[in-house]
Amino acid sequence: MQTELIRIQDLHASMPHIVRAAEVIRSGGLVVFPTETVYGLGGDGTNAEAAKKIYAAKGRPSDNPLIIHVATPEDAARYTCAEPAAYALYLRLAKAFMPGPLTVILPRQDNIPLSTTGGLDTVAVRCPSHPVAHALIEAAGVPIAAPSANLSGKPSPTSANHVATDLDGRVDMILDGGECDIGLESTIVKIDVAEDGEAYLTLLRPGGITCDALSCVCDRVEVAPAVSEQLGKDERPLSPGMKYRHYAPSAPLVLLRGEDADVLAFLQEQQATSACAILCYDEEVAELRPEGLLPVGGRADLSTQAHRLFARLREADGMNAVELIYAHLPDKSGLGLALYNRMIRAAAHTVLSIGTGGIPEE
Ligand code: TXA
Ligand code: MG
């Protein structure tokens, strides 16, 4: 398949391309588009065949459901059938956070085929704020099913370059809208109704909308165990995607826990004795050798760390002769929980405590 790459600088001037891309979607083809989180690999969410093509292009297991992307939050009512209490909570979330990096899981209507939802009776709905994504969904006139536009097992793409590396020849079109702003995938919540009739949230994947922000809208926010813990062999996660090892760089990633000075001394020692890549804080750049160094942002600048994380993991992957990749174990507060969730899985839960004997932890 020939993949057409289109650079979108001025949305107005590019409308003819967007209209053409929307036609590709409507006729069952695949279009990669930018969102404020990561790039999405889009197809018609109401078309079972398009969903199958998406799974094939990504190399993704077909029991891992897709998110449908809608043009306005109210469009969710056309594809979901929530109880009134659940829908009222959805609308409160929509008012606070949509369009934006939040995905909400609700019971599915029959117009969303089971192949889109990986066989589930629920569907994940998201209304992205990126102008190109919005224009494409609106022009398509159908909800766009889209997972992140990476090959299964690779970090999510935050630039069209990453997308082309993974999917050139596997999709009809790539709309290049530059770098994604947030850099981590959307926050995913499920809405359920408790026995007392109150709707509540379960956080399935942390992202740009933090737990604290969700708590401002809903009194009861539970966190699914898979968000920060390693599930046992027989445990089933609430979100099928959580059971797959994602974002895995080819050299093992090891996360370091410890006092700043101890971790820095450890990194200096590793640089002197081995070929390693290091995802370091900007403040550490002057203290370390430049070889293999990948600054992720200031120590306290979590937004920049989120923005750069996946690109840095890809860069580390591309470095020759790197045996190990080191990174700091993020703190779990605020946006840190999303960084922690992605990094702990990329590292397959390998954490090394420095300054306490260096005993690896599960
Ligand atoms: O920011 C994002 O959410 C990006 C952009 C493109 O919108 N999309 C994205 O999609 O990250 P994907 O497919 O890479 O991740 C979606 C996750 C998967 O882990 C999947 O298992 C989960 O959402 N999911 C989708 N539908 C679900 C459902 N009905 N119930 C539980 N989990 C669901
Ligand atoms: Mg993904």
Side-chain angles (χ1 to χ4, degrees), residues 237-323:
L238 294 170
S239 174
M242 288 292 189
K243 75 178 175 229
Y244 297 108
R245 187 180 162 205
H246 272 195
Y247 330 116
S250 39
L253 172 66
V254 175
L255 302 180
L256 305 173
R257 184 200 336 249
E259 297 294 327
D260 289 345
D262 293 338
V263 171
L264 184 62
F266 173 85
L267 290 173
Q268 285 166 334
E269 197 185 312
Q270 295 310 304
Q271 280 199 315
T273 56
S274 69
C276 56
I278 299 174
L279 275 65
C280 68
Y281 296 134
D282 290 355
E283 292 87 343
E284 295 170 317
V285 170
E287 314 288 332
L288 291 162
R289 294 188 191 179
E291 301 85 44
L293 215 54
L294 299 164
V296 290
R299 183 176 270 107
D301 183 358
L302 300 184
S303 305
T304 301
Q305 292 175 31
H307 177 76
R308 289 192 198 156
L309 176 66
F310 289 147
R312 292 307 197 211
L313 284 176
R314 280 177 182 260
E315 281 175 66
D317 236 355
M319 285 178 172
N320 283 332
V322 162
E323 289 154 24

Side-chain angles (χ1 to χ4, degrees), residues 43-80:
D44 179 353
T46 63
N47 178 340
E49 293 310 310
K52 285 180 194 154
K53 278 196 200 171
I54 292 174
Y55 290 118
K58 255 186 91 86
R60 174 174 181 152
S62 59
D63 68 344
N64 191 358
L66 308 175
I67 295 173
I68 61 163
H69 297 70
V70 292
T72 70
E74 294 73 28
D75 286 345
R78 295 160 62 182
Y79 310 109
T80 63

Side-chain angles (χ1 to χ4, degrees), residues 33 35 37-41 58 60 63-67 69 101 103 105-106 116-117 120-124 126 128 146-150 156 184-188 190 204-205 238-242 246-247 345:
F33 60 98
T35 82
T37 58
V38 301
Y39 274 77
L41 164 49
K58 255 186 91 86
R60 174 174 181 152
D63 68 344
N64 191 358
L66 308 175
I67 295 173
H69 297 70
T103 296
I105 293 173
L106 291 166
T116 298
T117 67
L120 298 178
D121 279 329
T122 52
V123 60
R126 160 157 142 71
S148 48
N150 51 288
S156 291
L184 298 179
E185 310 88 341
S186 62
T187 300
I188 303 182
K190 187 166 190 289
L204 302 187
R205 181 174 74 185
L238 294 170
S239 174
M242 288 292 189
H246 272 195
Y247 330 116
R345 293 168 73 220

Side-chain angles (χ1 to χ4, degrees), residues 173-249:
M173 268 174 140
I174 298 172
L175 303 179
D176 176 356
E179 278 186 25
C180 300
D181 199 16
I182 297 174
L184 298 179
E185 310 88 341
S186 62
T187 300
I188 303 182
V189 291
K190 187 166 190 289
I191 301 185
D192 286 296
V193 179
E195 286 191 353
D196 65 3
E198 291 280 325
Y200 68 95
L201 297 178
T202 308
L203 178 74
L204 302 187
R205 181 174 74 185
I209 306 295
T210 62
C211 270
D212 287 346
L214 293 168
S215 300
C216 293
V217 176
C218 180
D219 293 339
R220 183 170 161 200
V221 182
E222 303 199 340
V223 178
V227 165
S228 56
E229 289 156 31
Q230 192 170 17
L231 291 179
K233 267 208 179 70
D234 301 324
E235 277 180 279
R236 267 170 44 129
L238 294 170
S239 174
M242 288 292 189
K243 75 178 175 229
Y244 297 108
R245 187 180 162 205
H246 272 195
Y247 330 116

